[in-house]
Amino acid sequence: MGVILGIHTYNHDNISDEDTQQLMESIRDYRVDAIGSWHRDSIVLVCGERRLLADECYSPMPYLDDDSGIVITADVILDNREELFERLGIARERSSTVSDCELIIRAYQRWGYDCPRYLYGDFAFMIWDQREQTLFGARDLVGTRTLYFHHDAGRFAFASTMKPLHMMKGVTKRVRESWLAEFITIPLVLDCVDTQGTVYQDIEQLPPSHRLLVKNGRVTLSKYGSVEPEQKLKLKSNAEYEEAFRDVFSQAVRARLRTNQPIGATLSGGLDSGSVVSIASRELASANKPLHTYSYIPPQDFIPWTKRTRLPDERPFIKETVRNAGNIADHYLDFDGKSSLSEMNEWLDIMEMPYKFIENSFWFKGIKEFAADQGVALMLMGAGGNYSISWGDATDYYVHLLKRFRMLKFGQELKQYSQNMGVGRKWMLKFIGEKAFARRAAGSPGPVNDEYQFINPAFARSTNVYERLKPYEVGVGGFSLTMMNERQKFYENAAVVGMQGTVATKLSLRYGVIERDPTNDPRVIRFCLSLPLDQFVQNGMDRALVRRSMNGLLADAVRLNQRSRGVQGSDWVHRILPQWHSFAAEIDELCSSGLVSQYLNIDRVRSAFAKVNQQPRAELATDPDMKIVIRSLVLYRFLKRLA
């Protein structure tokens, strides 16, 4: 894995050695183990590799297949190698010496432009076919690795990050106003719904599950696949569903342990990361290799302000997972002295654009820094689990039953759920009834909710942002999702699906720690999407599939816990209180500078800060006005850099 980049000029214009050297120099600050290049007249390919395996398992990249004249540069780790060996007729005795980039070339030779459909793993690659004089590439189904590009009348250039492209003559840092308008307007932690555009007018990106072809100076993008299952799965019993789930999920975890270097995992007190860790630790024990876990905890001086069932400090549940799984070296990190404010400039360097995951930013980065110092090269995650393995909100399911007048099952489920949660049935019935009949019909969003809006009205009109966002479920005008279409809408939105991969790619290049998420494996997602709804909620149990399936693997204190949940990031405002004076001064500077006034409603930002400044306190962590202020600051600092 690592970073890839290249340039192809049209009309056979030669690329100079100086340009090639400049490309290679642009990635020397990234955490890579080897840098290579391949150069012929009008094409240059470069790769900076982060090697997770022994050197003998690699073919130096860019890799040239002498027989076909095909050259590849790839940021890749494949998870279905055994399947590919069989499909491509590669002898088992050669399996240990065939690299992932060789497998992609073989797949390209067999299936042509359809080859990405047969690849599972994390990848972004570009292939130069010398005979066809074409450049072909693809990004994996869920966008785990990034691929940016720039093209004009004379050339096509691509890179894993935007920095190398910005170093090229003629590539400016002009902002794409439509992107910026969506970033400001969408209240969710989502940059925009434009899957191809970036914040820069001169740079585009390849969306997840898409392929790209450059031929005769023309650039074509097309979608090659999706995570939608071909058919629904119908088994005879819960036990069969549970066994099938364990098979597909365990396979996804095992595939992500492919390294000869130390392995880590982020671990909270919940089901997703706990399930990943519980399987991985046992797999690694058989190889006499420990699993290092990293858990974020609040600082010692933080006083919890959330309600009793929402836990800022998840250590009691985390330690249950650690004790039950065994073979774990656990670490608890409070990142004392770090905050969303102190890390903001470095995050802007890493992301190359504004970002919204501000509340958790200090520990996202802090865990990678700490793990890198310990020599960890691969980090297991469970971040994709909410819509795959642990999907299944009980109240949404009960709304579904109530609306379909399945009263017998509704009554049975409500009774069991009330007992599990320790709440009265009458209260639950009232709550679910209000939830059911207050919902609008799908596809009929309401008026814009002004609570989170701080875009300059004139800028909103000039970019037509509200009209463009109408077809999307992004919180502008509320939500009209139901249990029947919630996951479909989620996985259809490539912008949402690819967010995790964008952050993961850029963090890996900074710190050399590669994220691998079994809950985001397309085969796991397809399996979960193929199941009946009652596999996810049953007998008064939400997220029922993973809870049942992990029996005997995940500690019961975690597996059966329905009453408590972690609230990571609830201390983010607490952490910036010592810096409040300088924070306030910078917000005043922001409002007075004029730099952001064409984009932001400065009066709204002023009033938001006036409110939170009355009594700065930790409880502002979820306050809409505080979010408006901190997001305005991210945007201000980003635009200052461009100015």
Side-chain angles (χ1 to χ4, degrees):
M1 305 202 73
V3 57
I4 61 172
L5 54 154
I7 301 175
H8 169 43
T9 58
Y10 312 142
N11 304 319
H12 305 289
D13 293 336
N14 288 350
I15 300 170
S16 69
D17 291 337
E18 182 181 351
D19 287 340
T20 301
Q21 189 60 35
Q22 184 182 38
L23 277 181
M24 296 181 70
E25 288 295 328
S26 72
I27 62 174
R28 293 197 183 278
D29 290 339
Y30 298 138
R31 189 78 171 267
V32 295
D33 301 314
I35 299 177
S37 67
W38 184 89
H39 182 191
R40 293 289 187 280
D41 301 329
S42 65
I43 180 81
V44 59
L45 303 177
V46 176
C47 185
E49 292 183 78
R50 178 73 170 112
R51 295 190 164 180
L52 299 177
L53 305 169
D55 287 346
E56 58 266 23
C57 299
Y58 285 91
S59 303
M61 279 205 289
Y63 173 76
L64 168 65
D65 181 70
D66 291 322
D67 294 334
S68 64
I70 294 171
V71 194
I72 185 172
T73 184
D75 175 12
V76 59
I77 185 163
L78 294 177
D79 294 330
N80 66 327
R81 285 170 57 87
E82 296 298 320
E83 177 190 356
L84 289 170
F85 292 148
E86 185 173 338
R87 281 178 173 269
L88 296 169
I90 297 173
R92 294 284 176 183
E93 55 268 23
R94 285 202 58 215
S95 62
S96 62
T97 60
V98 177
S99 66
D100 287 352
C101 62
E102 289 180 79
L103 275 176
I104 294 176
I105 286 181
R106 292 288 194 92
Y108 174 74
Q109 290 173 307
R110 170 70 66 84
W111 298 299
Y113 301 149
D114 283 336
C115 67
R117 294 180 180 176
Y118 299 89
L119 307 176
Y120 289 102
D122 300 347
F123 62 80
F125 66 82
M126 293 296 293
I127 286 173
W128 173 246
D129 189 327
Q130 295 189 77
R131 293 175 183 171
E132 298 293 328
Q133 291 290 291
T134 57
L135 197 58
F136 172 75
R139 190 176 172 197
D140 66 77
L141 276 171
V142 293
T144 311
R145 309 302 288 178
T146 53
L147 190 61
Y148 299 98
F149 63 92
H150 166 82
H151 65 101
D152 53 36
R155 65 188 169 174
F156 175 89
F158 67 90
S160 298
T161 65
M162 293 185 268
K163 174 185 171 184
L165 300 178
H166 277 140
M167 296 176 68
M168 295 175 57
K169 189 178 297 183
V171 180
T172 73
K173 290 188 176 181
R174 288 179 301 147
V175 297
R176 188 186 302 266
E177 291 196 339
S178 59
W179 190 100
L180 214 58
E182 290 180 13
F183 178 89
I184 297 166
T185 304
I186 297 172
L188 306 181
V189 184
L190 170 66
D191 298 331
C192 66
V193 297
D194 180 1
T195 58
Q196 188 173 328
T198 73
V199 68
Y200 300 107
Q201 188 67 42
D202 292 346
I203 296 177
E204 298 174 76
Q205 64 179 323
L206 185 64
S209 70
H210 279 64
R211 58 196 166 193
L212 178 152
L213 178 66
V214 184
K215 186 172 185 177
N216 298 327
R218 183 181 176 186
V219 180
T220 306
L221 275 64
S222 60
K223 189 171 183 178
Y224 65 80
S226 77
V227 295
E228 275 295 308
E230 292 182 1
Q231 59 186 18
K232 295 296 183 180
L233 184 63
K234 191 68 176 175
L235 301 178
K236 294 178 181 179
S237 66
N238 275 347
E240 290 187 7
Y241 283 112
E242 292 154 19
E243 182 181 3
F245 171 81
R246 283 191 295 269
D247 285 346
V248 70
F249 186 54
S250 296
Q251 178 190 13
V253 174
R254 284 194 299 271
R256 285 162 174 75
L257 303 178
R258 189 174 152 226
T259 181
N260 65 349
Q261 299 183 47
I263 296 177
T266 57
L267 180 60
S268 72
L271 291 167
D272 298 331
S273 62
S275 297
V276 172
V277 162
S278 295
I279 293 174
S281 65
R282 290 170 170 86
E283 290 287 335
L284 291 173
S286 63
N288 198 29
K289 188 175 183 178
L291 177 64
H292 301 267
T293 63
Y294 302 92
S295 305
Y296 143 71
I297 58 174
Q300 291 184 357
D301 64 344
F302 176 68
I303 300 173
W305 55 268
T306 55
K307 60 183 181 179
R308 185 171 49 87
T309 56
R310 296 294 179 260
L311 308 176
D313 188 344
E314 298 180 72
R315 268 178 291 187
F317 291 101
I318 295 170
K319 289 183 176 181
E320 285 289 335
T321 296
V322 169
R323 178 193 57 77
N324 188 71
N327 189 42
I328 289 176
D330 48 331
H331 306 275
Y332 304 91
L333 309 173
D334 67 6
F335 305 112
D336 189 32
K338 291 192 174 185
S339 71
S340 300
L341 204 57
S342 68
E343 307 302 289
M344 191 177 289
N345 284 340
E346 195 165 355
W347 264 115
L348 288 170
D349 289 338
I350 293 169
M351 292 300 294
E352 309 176 284
M353 61 185 184
Y355 61 94
K356 287 183 178 176
F357 48 87
I358 303 161
E359 296 88 339
N360 296 312
S361 59
F362 58 91
W363 66 266
F364 279 1
K365 186 167 74 70
I367 283 178
K368 297 298 192 302
E369 289 174 320
F370 189 89
D373 288 343
Q374 291 193 315
V376 167
L378 187 152
M379 182 76 73
L380 298 174
M381 311 285 288
N386 282 346
Y387 285 89
S388 59
I389 70 167
S390 69
W391 185 72
D393 182 90
T395 57
D396 280 351
Y397 181 58
Y398 301 154
V399 166
H400 171 77
L401 293 179
L402 187 59
K403 284 193 166 186
R404 281 151 184 80
F405 300 101
R406 298 179 62 184
M407 305 310 294
L408 179 60
K409 188 166 188 178
F410 173 75
Q412 292 169 341
E413 282 285 343
L414 191 64
K415 178 180 178 181
Q416 291 171 297
Y417 184 72
S418 299
Q419 291 171 349
N420 291 346
M421 296 298 291
V423 296
R425 267 187 290 174
K426 286 185 178 180
W427 184 89
M428 282 300 306
L429 184 59
K430 181 174 182 291
F431 173 77
I432 292 167
E434 290 174 350
K435 192 173 183 179
F437 299 110
R439 284 186 171 182
R440 294 179 297 274
S444 56
V448 173
N449 182 352
D450 290 335
E451 189 177 36
Y452 286 95
Q453 292 306 305
F454 60 111
I455 189 171
N456 183 317
F459 183 51
R461 286 192 297 273
S462 69
T463 56
N464 200 29
V465 65
Y466 288 120
E467 194 65 30
R468 285 190 290 106
L469 291 177
K470 270 186 179 180
Y472 300 93
E473 295 278 354
V474 291
V476 178
F479 295 96
S480 57
L481 294 172
T482 69
M483 195 173 194
M484 297 299 291
N485 66 12
E486 178 186 16
R487 286 186 300 171
Q488 178 188 354
K489 292 282 188 182
F490 177 84
Y491 287 117
E492 280 179 352
N493 191 337
V496 175
V497 173
M499 279 193 305
Q500 181 186 338
T502 300
V503 180
T505 300
K506 297 183 178 185
L507 280 175
S508 72
L509 295 177
R510 173 63 66 98
Y511 300 112
V513 181
I514 309 294
E515 286 187 11
R516 308 243 45 221
D517 188 349
T519 67
N520 230 11
D521 186 304
R523 294 163 296 185
V524 171
I525 295 170
R526 279 197 189 116
F527 174 84
C528 292
L529 289 175
S530 74
L531 302 183
L533 291 182
D534 62 8
Q535 282 301 306
F536 295 98
V537 182
Q538 63 175 245
N539 301 325
M541 184 184 292
D542 63 3
R543 304 166 186 255
L545 177 67
V546 68
R547 293 186 194 275
R548 302 189 330 263
S549 302
M550 291 301 294
N551 187 17
L553 294 172
L554 181 62
D556 282 354
V558 178
R559 185 177 69 88
L560 301 177
N561 170 40
Q562 289 183 254
R563 299 191 183 188
S564 301
R565 188 170 297 181
V567 282
Q568 297 158 342
S570 61
D571 60 342
W572 78 273
V573 174
H574 167 82
R575 289 172 178 270
I576 70 173
L577 292 179
Q579 305 165 277
W580 194 269
H581 180 73
S582 60
F583 172 58
E586 192 170 10
I587 297 302
D588 185 60
E589 176 189 305
L590 177 162
C591 293
S592 305
S593 72
L595 184 63
V596 292
S597 58
Q598 70 183 95
Y599 306 120
L600 303 185
N601 183 339
I602 297 300
D603 288 341
R604 179 70 181 96
V605 177
R606 284 189 192 277
S607 66
F609 187 68
K611 178 184 172 185
V612 301
N613 198 36
Q614 289 176 359
Q615 189 182 353
R617 63 197 189 283
E619 291 87 336
L620 291 171
T622 58
D623 189 282
D625 289 294
M626 189 66 202
K627 291 192 176 186
I628 285 175
V629 171
I630 200 69
R631 288 182 181 183
S632 298
L633 183 58
V634 168
L635 190 60
Y636 175 62
R637 287 196 184 183
F638 172 76
L639 292 172
K640 272 180 75 174
R641 290 166 171 240
L642 300 187

